[in-house]
Amino acid sequence: MFAIDEDLRFHLLSISVEGCRVGGLRVHRSGGESAFPRYSPGSCRFQCRRRIYQFHESCVTAHAIGGIPAKIQSCRYRQGSIAMTVIRRFAGILVHPAAVFVLAIAFAGVLRYLDKRGAYLPYTAAVTLTLAAIAYIASRRPIFSLYTAGAVTLLIGIASKVKFDLKGFALHYYDLVFTGGDTSALDFLVRNYGYILYIGLALIGVAVVLLAVVFTADRPRAPRLLWRVGLVPACVGLAILLFPKATPENQGFMPFIDGYNASAFYFSFADFDPMGRKVKLADHLKTDVGESLSGTADCGTGQKPDVMLVLSESQADPAIFPELGLPEDFRALFASDDGMVRPLSVEIFGGGTWATNFSVLTGLSPTDFSWQSHYVTELMENRIRGALPEMLAACGYRTVTIMPMFQQFVNEGDFLRSIGVQEVYDAAALGLAGVGNLTEDSTYYDFAEKLIAKHRATDGRPLFLAIQTMFAHGPYDAAPETRDAGSKPFSDDPQVDNYLRRVHAARLQIHRFLAERQAEPGPRGTVLLEYGDHQPIATKPLLEQRGDLRLADLTSPAYRTFLSIHAFETPVDKHLFDKPMATGFLAATLVEAAGLPSSPLMRSLADLREACGGKYHDCPQRELVDANLTMRANGGLLKLD
């Protein structure tokens, strides 16, 4: 800190002297050696010879015009911090044209890594330029605007990659509507994947700091506002021009299940529906089909056994992965009461349990909804008639669901009520503090045992009970703390081993529940159908290693789980379940095999199963599926407008 009390002269010059550019102002110390600071008019800060000086009081008492001297009285200043010097030099590097070019190349490389193919990248780049043009209107800083748009695109791409790796479905704009306003879903994500959220917030923080540094270094360039505004429609037009042409690879849900993570979110705005009510299933309806289907129940006169469904979270037939070398007694835990382990074809991978549950209860294919497949429980509330719970309720059944999540999660509670479930017992009803995979499945079975006992003692109606489990759900970072998990490792891979331990515990616990059903079949008998909803993310490396992670192909082993059928003091034709079938046929097959109350809709689904060889969305005679959907719509069983 020191003071200068001497005459200074200001001269209007547009030159650079000894590394000190003044932007038109040169400061000359009369009678001695010159000093040339970089001076910012209107402030008391300047830089010269790699040093930053800050005036402690206003020192400018006059403006220099044409070389007229100006008097500065006792101007005091101090040297700035080294950290600020480093930051400013770093900022100068970032805004240098060579650095911008290098980072643009790196940006393109990261986008190519995030996307499965490069064909979508020109469109993604055009959308990024559109964002940059919007930022340029307000900031007037071109380099800052480019960096801002690039950061947004990269952060969206990374988020999409994370979602795809966890759930098998890339980021879609509708996630902001479907999940953003769902506090239960957000709570689930924070509790189970909080570490990912924290990493994401850290990345956003780093991006904000870097952009702030670039903002200070990038000098405003101010062409007329009309020119700046005109860049936006030009970039939008370029994006429209580069939008990928429709092909089998990019129609409907394909970009979201096939690894186009850099472009999927931007691509999803092609599906934008301001009213949010256009149902993609309507695309399958045919105008030349005049017949209609009825969902009216034919209750019959025979016995009505208690019907129980168990959704076994994240479980699949171990025989799909022989490389794990699991013992035979492990696989035997997946068998029906006749000793057979039966295959089931699902349409999701890694997550989206509610989509499988939706398919089983309604007799519909989630994939037929295209990109809306993960949002069906919100989209289709009060739009479906004739579903299994509604049909059984019409025939005098008490219909109940036990679920590990809060019922508002993905709107599942309200959706289930809309298709005939009379009572929904969720995490709150079960007394669970929160949602997650820390609660053992025995919790749900114990609750079910009490409900069944009380029902049979006080209620004369037959019981339909659907139980959802949770213990085998990810993440698999920590070993499960339960004796049912076993003491010996199942795999050298910690993630796979923790997953298999959870499955082992879940299998032992459902077998104890089955033993109770054997001991207490009820006055009408009981039929129990168990099914795996999807494979977990833990099997992804195994599928990748052998080239079977073909998420665009419903015949991929990634979409195979299992089902088991158990009959207690009631006849069931188990052979109907021997052949692989899609989840959309499961309810109709159960109705047929157990002689349950039926309906024209259920019988038509059983006929469709035979005609399609158990396939639904990918039925070789797809026109039969579309005709069935059209007849359901004609009969008022589907409301798609």
Side-chain angles (χ1 to χ4, degrees), residues 576-609:
L576 291 175
F577 296 95
D578 289 349
K579 296 179 181 179
M581 74 176 72
T583 51
F585 295 129
L586 210 50
T589 304
L590 176 63
V591 166
E592 182 182 9
L596 301 178
S598 189
S599 69
L601 170 60
M602 290 295 168
R603 289 188 286 272
S604 74
L605 286 172
D607 292 341
L608 188 63
R609 178 198 67 218

Side-chain angles (χ1 to χ4, degrees), residues 226-514:
L226 183 62
W227 285 97
R228 300 203 307 274
V229 173
L231 286 174
V232 176
C235 291
V236 170
L238 180 64
I240 294 173
L241 182 66
L242 295 175
F243 189 84
K245 292 181 172 58
T247 67
E249 290 78 21
N250 65 19
Q251 290 183 344
F253 62 92
M254 294 302 294
F256 307 100
I257 66 170
D258 210 20
Y260 300 98
N261 297 304
S263 52
F265 183 77
Y266 292 153
F267 189 87
S268 72
F269 282 92
D271 301 319
F272 183 65
D273 175 16
M275 301 302 294
R277 306 309 293 172
K278 182 179 179 182
V279 182
K280 297 293 290 182
L281 184 65
D283 294 343
H284 293 282
L285 302 186
K286 302 298 181 183
T287 58
D288 58 347
V289 176
E291 300 96 329
S292 62
L293 275 171
S294 169
T296 302
D298 177 9
C299 298
T301 57
Q303 269 194 328
K304 299 181 179 68
D306 289 341
V307 179
M308 299 182 187
L309 303 182
V310 176
L311 183 156
S312 287
E313 172 66 44
S314 299
Q315 297 181 43
D317 181 359
I320 303 171
F321 304 102
E323 59 267 41
L324 293 176
L326 296 173
E328 272 301 314
D329 59 354
F330 191 104
R331 189 181 186 229
L333 294 172
F334 293 80
S336 302
D337 56 13
D338 61 0
M340 286 187 61
V341 180
R342 291 174 166 87
L344 179 67
S345 297
V346 299
E347 299 179 19
I348 55 174
F349 176 82
T353 295
W354 56 92
T356 296
N357 198 41
F358 168 92
S359 180
V360 170
L361 296 178
T362 64
L364 294 167
S365 163
T367 309
D368 280 352
F369 288 81
S370 186
W371 64 267
Q372 295 172 337
S373 61
H374 278 53
Y375 316 112
V376 286
T377 50
E378 189 273 337
L379 189 68
M380 295 303 292
E381 180 187 351
N382 295 319
R383 289 172 172 260
I384 298 173
R385 294 290 178 266
L388 178 65
E390 180 184 350
M391 184 192 71
L392 293 178
C395 291
Y397 275 77
R398 176 190 178 190
T399 55
V400 181
T401 285
I402 298 172
M403 56 191 300
M405 311 296 286
F406 294 112
Q407 58 181 294
Q408 64 266 32
F409 178 78
V410 300
N411 195 52
E412 192 166 20
D414 286 343
F415 169 75
L416 291 174
R417 290 187 185 89
S418 78
I419 61 169
V421 176
Q422 298 160 343
E423 303 168 39
V424 177
Y425 295 95
D426 66 350
L430 271 64
L432 303 180
V435 294
N437 66 351
L438 300 180
T439 302
E440 296 182 45
D441 290 348
S442 57
T443 301
Y444 316 119
Y445 298 133
D446 290 346
F447 187 90
E449 288 288 1
K450 295 176 182 177
L451 186 148
I452 293 168
K454 183 177 180 181
H455 171 83
R456 288 175 175 170
T458 61
D459 195 319
R461 293 175 293 173
L463 176 66
F464 170 80
L465 176 61
I467 304 171
Q468 299 180 30
T469 65
M470 189 68 175
F471 193 58
H473 196 285
Y476 307 109
D477 299 321
E481 298 180 0
T482 171
R483 63 182 182 181
D484 287 336
S487 57
K488 295 181 180 180
F490 293 107
S491 172
D492 295 331
D493 185 313
Q495 290 264 335
V496 175
D497 184 56
N498 290 336
Y499 162 66
L500 292 173
R501 286 175 177 272
R502 288 185 175 278
V503 171
H504 187 265
R507 300 316 304 162
L508 293 182
Q509 290 168 12
I510 190 175
H511 272 270
R512 287 197 283 269
F513 183 69
L514 290 171

Side-chain angles (χ1 to χ4, degrees), residues 66-302:
I68 299 175
K71 184 78 173 180
I72 298 182
Q73 299 292 336
S74 191
C75 188
R76 301 172 63 86
Y77 58 88
R78 64 182 174 83
Q79 185 172 338
S81 67
I82 295 176
M84 287 301 299
T85 303
V86 172
I87 290 173
R88 287 180 177 275
R89 288 182 60 80
F90 178 62
I93 293 172
L94 288 178
V95 299
H96 193 281
V100 175
F101 177 78
V102 171
L103 290 175
I105 298 299
F107 174 75
V110 174
L111 291 188
R112 182 64 184 87
Y113 167 76
L114 292 172
D115 248 35
K116 181 178 180 180
R117 296 189 310 166
Y120 287 22
L121 296 186
Y123 166 71
T124 304
V127 176
T128 304
L129 287 176
T130 302
L131 296 178
I134 294 171
Y136 185 48
I137 294 175
S139 71
R140 299 183 300 156
R141 289 167 168 81
I143 296 176
F144 166 78
S145 300
L146 287 170
Y147 280 164
T148 299
V152 170
T153 296
L154 284 179
L155 289 172
I156 289 174
I158 292 170
S160 185
K161 179 73 163 60
V162 170
K163 185 193 173 196
F164 178 78
D165 287 344
L166 290 175
K167 303 298 181 184
F169 199 85
L171 196 64
H172 194 283
Y173 91 87
Y174 202 73
D175 287 317
L176 304 178
V177 179
F178 187 69
T179 305
D182 188 339
T183 56
S184 181
L186 293 174
D187 179 63
F188 172 78
L189 293 174
V190 170
R191 288 176 180 269
N192 289 276
Y193 301 101
Y195 66 98
I196 295 177
L197 176 63
Y198 300 143
I199 292 173
L201 291 175
L203 288 176
I204 293 173
V206 170
V208 169
V209 170
L210 289 176
L211 290 172
V213 170
V214 171
F215 184 87
T216 62
D218 189 20
R219 290 184 300 170
R221 295 163 177 79
R224 292 180 180 274
L225 179 62
L226 183 62
W227 285 97
R228 300 203 307 274
V229 173
L231 286 174
V232 176
C235 291
V236 170
L238 180 64
I240 294 173
L241 182 66
L242 295 175
F243 189 84
K245 292 181 172 58
T247 67
E249 290 78 21
N250 65 19
Q251 290 183 344
F253 62 92
M254 294 302 294
F256 307 100
I257 66 170
D258 210 20
Y260 300 98
N261 297 304
S263 52
F265 183 77
Y266 292 153
F267 189 87
S268 72
F269 282 92
D271 301 319
F272 183 65
D273 175 16
M275 301 302 294
R277 306 309 293 172
K278 182 179 179 182
V279 182
K280 297 293 290 182
L281 184 65
D283 294 343
H284 293 282
L285 302 186
K286 302 298 181 183
T287 58
D288 58 347
V289 176
E291 300 96 329
S292 62
L293 275 171
S294 169
T296 302
D298 177 9
C299 298
T301 57

